[in-house]
Amino acid sequence: MNKRSALIALSLTALLVACGKQEAAPSAMSAAPAAISKIVVGLDDNFPPMGFRDEKNELVGFDIDMAREAAKRIGVEVDFKPIDWSAKEAELAGKRVDVLWNGLTITEERKKNIDFTAPYMENHQIVVVGGASDVKTKADLAGKVVGAQEGSSAVDAVKKDAAVFQSFKELKTFGDNVTALMDLATGRLDAVVVDEVVGRYYVAKKPQDYAVLDEHFGTEDYGVGVRQGDTDLLSRLDKALADMKQDGTAATIATQWFGKDITK
């Protein structure tokens, strides 16, 4: 090889090395996680008083206020996206929403597909009947048609009490609790099993139409559902909720919606 050829070969080698280094840099940069600037909250927008539409068709509710405050504390924008609640896990896993925040009960079954924050509220699955109903206990539900929201923890709670569940004439599911309670009011159902926060909200509005049994289908905790593996968002939400509890903000929001602090 003459001097000229050697010089050309050396130049080409240097050029290839330089290109290789330039190509490697973007790859290293792209591996860094992007900063979160917005979270999309999936919810059932017909679930008062947790999340629902007011007379102006605007989303309001206890969980709406809690989510907005938490988002402000972690420095991100928040969008609310109504979803089919029975498909909530698929919406979360498919990254169409970032969190599920709408009276979501923490269960062992759901933990298989969802990561949860620490509980922020305690709830019961209560039994609501008509104001003039002769149903006074869970045993009186034998041979009755009972309603519940499809995909809700109410269905799981009822089925867990196998003896009572098997005594029903039918367990009828609905897309939302409001429709189930309307069917109860018109006599198409004998009872509705529903989250206490929702049931008592409606009973308080129409005490002559509804009554609540002393017995219920168990105690449960509400948490915010986060996509599995999203540890950064989970830890930030946990801290925001803990701080809101500590400084009294959560209690203030709860009192505005429930008349007292029912946060955990």
Side-chain angles (χ1 to χ4, degrees):
M1 183 183 293
N2 59 34
K3 283 187 178 180
R4 184 177 180 183
S5 298
L7 192 57
I8 292 172
L10 186 61
S11 299
L12 286 172
T13 300
L15 182 61
L16 288 171
V17 169
C19 289
K21 287 181 179 177
Q22 288 173 357
E23 288 172 359
S27 298
M29 291 176 62
S30 64
I36 301 172
S37 61
K38 180 177 73 174
I39 57 173
V40 179
V41 175
L43 76 157
D44 168 10
D45 64 349
N46 199 11
F47 190 49
M50 309 307 280
F52 63 105
R53 296 190 180 276
D54 63 11
E55 61 278 359
K56 297 179 182 178
N57 202 39
E58 295 177 351
L59 280 170
V60 296
F62 171 74
D63 275 340
I64 302 296
D65 289 347
M66 290 285 285
R68 283 181 173 143
E69 177 64 23
K72 183 172 69 175
R73 290 180 182 233
I74 64 177
V76 298
E77 296 179 19
V78 59
D79 283 347
F80 296 94
K81 181 180 180 180
I83 60 173
D84 178 354
W85 198 241
S86 64
K88 55 190 172 294
E89 293 184 13
E91 293 286 335
L92 186 63
K95 298 187 178 182
R96 292 179 286 277
V97 300
D98 300 306
V99 300
L100 300 171
W101 197 332
N102 197 206
L104 180 64
T105 301
I106 301 172
T107 68
E108 292 305 313
E109 186 63 27
R110 286 174 176 168
K111 283 181 179 179
K112 296 176 182 177
N113 301 306
I114 301 173
D115 287 341
F116 284 92
T117 62
Y120 66 91
M121 181 185 288
E122 188 175 84
N123 180 56
H124 302 91
Q125 290 297 336
I126 61 172
V127 184
V128 180
V129 297
S133 175
D134 59 356
V135 174
K136 306 299 180 186
T137 68
K138 290 195 293 184
D140 295 335
L141 294 172
K144 306 295 187 183
V145 180
V146 180
Q149 183 183 22
E150 181 182 4
S152 71
S153 59
V155 175
D156 298 332
V158 167
K159 290 182 177 179
K160 188 178 292 185
D161 195 336
V164 175
F165 170 58
Q166 290 168 9
S167 75
F168 294 172
K169 178 180 179 180
E170 180 186 359
L171 177 62
K172 187 175 181 181
T173 57
F174 295 80
D176 57 75
N177 288 301
V178 176
T179 305
L181 289 164
M182 288 173 61
D183 271 22
L184 175 62
T186 56
R188 288 191 287 269
L189 292 175
D190 298 300
V192 172
V193 180
V194 61
D195 291 77
E196 184 171 25
V197 291
V198 178
R200 292 199 182 277
Y201 176 81
Y202 276 98
V203 170
K205 291 168 75 76
K206 296 184 177 180
Q208 71 281 1
D209 293 341
Y210 302 113
V212 179
L213 300 192
D214 291 334
E215 295 180 307
H216 56 72
F217 280 95
T219 303
E220 57 195 26
D221 290 324
Y222 283 162
V224 181
V226 177
R227 190 163 38 252
Q228 287 188 329
D230 198 346
T231 54
D232 178 58
L233 179 57
L234 182 64
S235 64
R236 292 168 74 180
L237 285 172
D238 262 329
K239 184 179 186 308
L241 288 170
D243 290 346
M244 289 163 65
K245 176 72 174 177
Q246 180 68 28
D247 64 24
T249 303
T252 299
I253 295 173
T255 302
Q256 290 171 350
W257 284 102
F258 304 107
K260 62 178 182 178
D261 180 16
I262 60 171
T263 58
K264 184 172 182 177

